[in-house]
């Protein structure tokens, strides 16, 4: 609760002042086309995922893990609200990735709302504990999903990306997950 009221709420309330200061429009006439918003949100996902991967991986360094990121890993079987359950410093550090996209691409309040909605839906989805087969987020190429992130919460190593599997694949930090999946497939075949 501390995190919600003392870290996240000021950041959320600060959005009003940010939009006013930056002169971000909110009128109907200047609203961008849906495809413009979609492209900007996808770019934000890539930026946020890149930021998240490297800093999340750094938070797993044994010298700092127990002080900061261990709070988030208190739950080995995640559920939606675990997404927001984190040390205040972690919220600020990893949350910065969310704001980078806003600083770069925000051209209308509807974009801000769209990006915020997509990010919350994605975050709750990967922490839901359910890998729903008809999940529309799986239409996004390289989307990680709940099964991928659940493994991270059970194993604590690897699968550091927030949205995509690309960085884990590139750096090989998904090797244990791949071994686990192969073992699961072998077990099912027997």
């Amino acid at each position: 609760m501390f995190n919600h009221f003392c870290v996240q709420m000021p950041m959320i309330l600060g959005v009003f002042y940010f939009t006013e200061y930056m002169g971000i429009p909110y009128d109907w006439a200047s609203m961008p086309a849906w495809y413009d918003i979609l492209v900007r949100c996808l770019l934000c996902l890539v930026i946020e995922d890149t930021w998240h991967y490297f800093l999340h991986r750094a938070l797993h360094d044994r010298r700092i893990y127990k002080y900061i990121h261990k709070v988030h890993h208190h739950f080995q079987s995640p559920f939606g609200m675990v997404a927001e359950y984190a040390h205040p410093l972690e919220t600020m550090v990893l949350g910065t990735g969310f704001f980078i996209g806003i600083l770069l691409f925000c051209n209308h309040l509807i974009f801000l709302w769209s990006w915020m909605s997509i990010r919350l839906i994605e975050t709750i989805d990967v922490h839901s504990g359910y890998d729903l087969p008809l999940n529309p987020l799986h239409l996004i190429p390289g989307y990680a999903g709940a099964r991928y992130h659940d493994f991270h919460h059970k194993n604590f190593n690897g699968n550091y990306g927030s949205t995509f599997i690309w960085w884990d694949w590139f750096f090989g930090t998904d090797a244990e997950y791949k071994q686990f999946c192969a073992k699961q497939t072998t077990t099912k075949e027997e």
Side-chain angles (χ1 to χ4, degrees):
M1 291 301 250
F2 173 83
N3 217 14
H4 280 96
F5 291 106
C6 297
V7 178
Q8 291 177 359
M9 193 161 85
M11 292 167 80
I12 291 167
L13 294 174
V15 168
F16 169 76
Y17 297 103
F18 170 79
T19 57
E20 290 296 310
Y21 179 77
M22 298 298 281
I24 295 171
Y26 48 85
D27 61 310
W28 183 263
S30 64
M31 188 167 68
W34 67 269
Y35 50 84
D36 181 75
I37 295 168
L38 180 64
V39 168
R40 289 170 187 267
C41 285
L42 289 173
L43 289 170
C44 284
L45 280 171
V46 171
I47 290 168
E48 190 283 330
D49 186 67
T50 301
W51 178 270
H52 188 97
Y53 174 84
F54 290 103
L55 289 166
H56 184 196
R57 188 172 176 182
L59 287 172
H60 275 268
D61 183 285
R62 62 187 164 139
R63 293 170 290 185
I64 60 172
Y65 174 81
K66 63 183 174 183
Y67 302 110
I68 300 170
H69 194 53
K70 188 175 182 179
V71 172
H72 180 70
H73 278 278
H74 176 75
F75 297 97
Q76 288 185 347
S77 296
F79 53 94
M81 289 307 291
V82 171
E84 303 299 321
Y85 188 73
H87 189 282
L89 186 58
E90 178 179 353
T91 299
M92 289 186 279
V93 168
L94 293 181
T96 300
F98 170 82
F99 290 105
I100 292 171
I102 293 171
L103 290 170
L104 293 174
F105 301 119
C106 194
N107 61 346
H108 196 276
L109 189 62
I110 194 74
F111 163 78
L112 184 65
W113 289 345
S114 299
W115 169 227
M116 191 176 305
S117 298
I118 288 169
R119 187 67 189 118
L120 283 172
I121 289 166
E122 184 276 329
T123 303
I124 292 169
D125 175 60
V126 299
H127 287 92
S128 70
Y130 296 101
D131 191 22
L132 302 173
L134 298 176
N135 184 342
L137 293 172
H138 288 293
L139 296 172
I140 302 171
Y143 181 69
R147 184 178 297 154
Y148 196 80
H149 197 70
D150 282 359
F151 183 81
H152 173 76
H153 273 265
K154 288 183 179 102
N155 194 47
F156 299 117
N157 292 313
N159 296 15
Y160 299 114
S162 65
T163 306
F164 303 112
I165 61 171
W166 306 328
W167 290 112
D168 285 301
W169 171 81
F170 186 77
F171 288 105
T173 50
D174 62 351
E176 290 181 43
Y177 177 70
K178 287 179 179 175
Q179 290 171 356
F180 172 77
C181 289
K183 191 174 184 180
Q184 293 288 90
T185 303
T186 306
T187 305
K188 284 181 184 179
E189 291 173 358
E190 293 175 357

